[in-house]
Amino acid sequence: MPTRRIGPRELTRLLGAWPSASAPAYAALAGRIRLLVLDGRLPVGVRLPPERELAASLGVSRTTVSAAFDVLRDGGHAVSRQGSGTWTSLPTAGAPVPTWAPEPAPDGVLDLAHAAPSAPPHLHAAYSAALEDLPRHLPGTGYDYRGLPALRARLAARFTERGLATTAEQVLVTSGALQAVRLGLTLAVGAGDRVVVEQPGYPNGLDVVTDLGGRPVPVPVDPRSGSWDVDSLVAATRQTRPTAAYLVPEFQNPTGSLMPAPVRQLVAALLDRSGTVAVVDETLVELALDDVVTPPPLATFAGRTPVVTVGSASKIAWGGLRVGWLRSDATTVSRLAALRSRQDLASPVLEQLALLHLLDRLDDLREHRVGELRRGRDLLLGLLADQLPDWTVRTPAGGQVLWCGLPTPTSGALAQATADLGVRLTPGSRFAADGGLESWVRLPYTLPPDVLEQAVPLVARAWAAVAGTPAGRRRASTRGPSLDDDAAYVV
Amino acid sequence: MPTRRIGPRELTRLLGAWPSASAPAYAALAGRIRLLVLDGRLPVGVRLPPERELAASLGVSRTTVSAAFDVLRDGGHAVSRQGSGTWTSLPTAGAPVPTWAPEPAPDGVLDLAHAAPSAPPHLHAAYSAALEDLPRHLPGTGYDYRGLPALRARLAARFTERGLATTAEQVLVTSGALQAVRLGLTLAVGAGDRVVVEQPGYPNGLDVVTDLGGRPVPVPVDPRSGSWDVDSLVAATRQTRPTAAYLVPEFQNPTGSLMPAPVRQLVAALLDRSGTVAVVDETLVELALDDVVTPPPLATFAGRTPVVTVGSASKIAWGGLRVGWLRSDATTVSRLAALRSRQDLASPVLEQLALLHLLDRLDDLREHRVGELRRGRDLLLGLLADQLPDWTVRTPAGGQVLWCGLPTPTSGALAQATADLGVRLTPGSRFAADGGLESWVRLPYTLPPDVLEQAVPLVARAWAAVAGTPAGRRRASTRGPSLDDDAAYVV
């Protein structure tokens, strides 16, 4: 059964102008909807508009829509039931793996869709040490709803070190950063509420906003200057009265931008004044690759409106260690602890003990990870300059990804073409709240050098094919990136 | 800010008749609301009715309500803000710990509110073995969205052994059983949808139903006969068209009842016919303490409507190992995997590897746990027969708790009285969707013998105090348990 619905106008906008290519209209329409499902812009379980309404909105015949729905159903990308209409779905086991779905890439597929590193050598030792600590926890029930007191104290100390005075009561341990983001947003986001998001922004964060019924209000982050558009934020807080904002001030995903201290102060003041709860995702904060000074946490500029600061061990350590945390005022943390206990009760004890040991070696860990990422970044920049010279890329000072500008709005087609060559890629539109950003693609440099060296030629080959199509030859007009004229930012 | 609201009539019903005792009306009202917040019947963040409306509904003066709200605010059990009204809250750190809240019991407090065992001796070895398996997973990203294939295959094999043919594609690994229950219910429950629940039922499951906006339709489980009231289920499916049902057929929490195979078949058919998605919580299935035959899983009788079967390692192994799972048809599992990936991405790798090793020693584990629980049950039954002879208790054939009938509807007052003696207890009303069951209290026998021996005399002392009050002396009329006449079930 569908869990939510999309109207004919909204779907028409998401579809954009689909290729009037060789394929018949129904096949093109089906292909385009399939792509939206696969790259996550149309989540699974969304009820599609009635055929007649969609046909009217698209200016095609109802037969075309009806035939497109048949194709989607046959491929497992839609399901219909009498009385409930037709909703999006994903094919079950055995069917081709979508480019964006909760599945690991199958063997042989090069996964450039995720920016997730392999584990550092320190991890095994941390688990071993944790296992020695475990026995004194075994007589208990194993449920520590806010997280182990020692871990909360350690996380609080790290915030304090970074200039944000924090006590253990202000910290909640979570099942990874995404759960913490969701909890923070749940505080303030109900159906129809406006939520400030970054454009481009972190796809999983955008998904949470829409899952909660929030309506994203995109505030641009300029990939060229790395600047948050403060004027746009001023207008957004004034005009839309957002209840929450989701921000990634450190090495923003995907642009790699670092928000300067004065901008943090300004943003915090703006949000406080409009009563907008800020959820600040610091997942990437330890990943400064160049000699930049990371400003104090945005929450140091908090006023009376709650700021929820989210962190995680998944980037500095490993995603397979599923521990994140959040930090706010003690009252807000108590409320979030109660909410969280109704979702999955508590975090695993051993994972928390392992994190505690990892935090004791934070400097080593950071040095290891930063060295690895710096090498990956420089390698990937070199490969792109060499093999994809018409792409424009700014060198990010931190984080894990390059945000690459294409000369034409064809990243959806590119993702499709690389998929055929065994490379999974996330198109730019996944990073947009409103389905734009087709002229961008995100490439992670978290992968081992040999994988990057293997992948880029395949991406280049796919790009050559896309660039040879009519859409690929058409130059970007208004929406495409305009970095070409700024040599400083072109690799 | 409040996340939902309660109307004056609903709150009046929840409040019931509060003692017209010595305390002034405003203090009694505040005390009663505080109790509702502490035992979870009024969740944190619920907006209370406007003072005037509540006063009218209760038939008291507005001053009384206003003064009661002041008391609640002073104690940290309510918060008010201009324009947002007054909503329930919990006092922050330093304040007294509530009887039901996401907090571990402080040192020195005997926790009879949770039924969660300590870890078995096998656990450490399982983690050690898992740590040896870990290195081959470390080069990956650590995200296996559906769960490690080997673990899914092992869980599928266990279902198949139990008579429910299952493939690995039909299994999703989750962050504990509660997340799995929530996912399953999310499939079918939106705001205002009716959901069949058991009365009495598992409180955390009931919370999930209301969190999702569902309206619980209670179907009684008779604590005396251990029978599910099938007539009531027939009426419920006919009259309310429930979209989902939440059931615990094995050693039902809190009654310990085991649903017989013919009833499973009947229940499955009824739910299938009404298109009601069944979420079947098998958390306690391995905990048969007496020589009873556990019938095949309810899902073996499934029709075309999805049945989601939920399991967990927290009872047979340990709650601090936070791995659960769900099983359904492959299409439903794909949808739930997509939903879950948007909540907390995936489960920790090491935890999953440890569970795999524990499942290899399932027979040993079960023998250990069952022996421990059997001893605990028999000890607790003996202590109660001796020290609380006017309570009525049926000997459950499995599970972890006794569901004890009191001679008067005073379990809220009892929980309050035991709290003063350092014993945390969950009153019967926590197990009711509609705030009844005041004549019942649940006692777990998961605790070590010395704790049970220490706790029962304190409960008896609290009970003596409560039984001495007017409310305690008044015999139960319609709502109280009527087991007194059935000697076979009285310990």
Side-chain angles (χ1 to χ4, degrees), chain A residues 148 150-151 154 351-361:
Chain A
L148 297 178
L151 177 58
R154 185 69 188 74
E351 298 277 299
Q352 296 184 70
L353 294 171
L355 176 57
L356 202 44
H357 286 283
L358 288 168
L359 290 171
D360 284 342
R361 300 193 59 190

Side-chain angles (χ1 to χ4, degrees), chain A residues 1-4 40 43-45 79 81 87-93 101-104 111 114-120 123-124 127-128 131-132 134-135 137-146 169 175-176 178-180 182 186-188 202 204 206-208 210-211 275 277 306 314-315 318-322 330-331 334-335 337-339 341-351 430, chain B residues 1-4 40 43-45 79 81 87-93 101-104 111 114 116-120 123-124 127-128 131-132 134-135 137-146 169 175-176 178-180 182 186-188 202 204 207-208 210-211 275 277 304 306 314-315 318-322 330-332 334-335 337-339 341-351 430:
Chain A
M1 276 134 290
T3 53
R4 47 203 183 100
V44 167
V79 176
R81 192 170 300 168
W87 62 92
T88 55
S89 181
L90 281 175
T92 50
E103 307 287 349
D111 188 359
H114 295 97
S118 59
L123 192 78
H124 203 272
Y127 272 121
S128 292
L131 203 49
E132 286 178 34
L134 187 64
H137 296 271
L138 296 179
T141 62
Y143 297 107
D144 218 325
Y145 297 93
R146 287 167 180 255
E169 286 64 40
S175 298
L178 191 61
Q179 184 184 56
R182 183 178 280 262
T186 304
L187 263 188
Y202 175 53
N204 291 351
L206 299 177
D207 285 347
V208 171
T210 51
D211 280 357
V277 172
S314 61
K315 303 310 180 193
W318 192 45
L321 179 106
R322 306 277 330 115
T331 308
S334 287
R335 290 193 54 204
L339 279 173
S341 74
R342 296 160 83 101
Q343 290 180 6
D344 62 353
L345 293 175
S347 283
V349 172
L350 191 73
E351 298 277 299
R430 258 298 277 168
Chain B
M1 277 136 291
T3 53
R4 47 203 182 100
V44 167
V79 176
R81 193 170 298 168
W87 61 93
T88 55
S89 181
L90 279 176
T92 50
E103 308 288 349
D111 188 0
H114 296 97
S118 59
L123 192 79
H124 203 272
Y127 272 121
S128 292
L131 202 51
E132 286 179 34
L134 187 64
H137 296 272
L138 297 178
T141 62
Y143 297 108
D144 219 326
Y145 297 93
R146 288 167 180 255
E169 285 65 39
S175 297
L178 191 62
Q179 182 183 57
R182 184 178 279 263
T186 304
L187 263 188
Y202 175 53
N204 291 350
D207 284 347
V208 171
T210 51
D211 279 357
V277 171
R304 302 187 57 176
S314 61
K315 303 310 179 192
W318 191 44
L321 178 105
R322 305 279 327 119
T331 308
T332 299
S334 287
R335 291 192 54 204
L339 279 173
S341 74
R342 297 160 82 103
Q343 292 181 4
D344 63 353
L345 292 175
S347 282
V349 172
L350 191 73
E351 297 278 299
R430 259 297 278 166

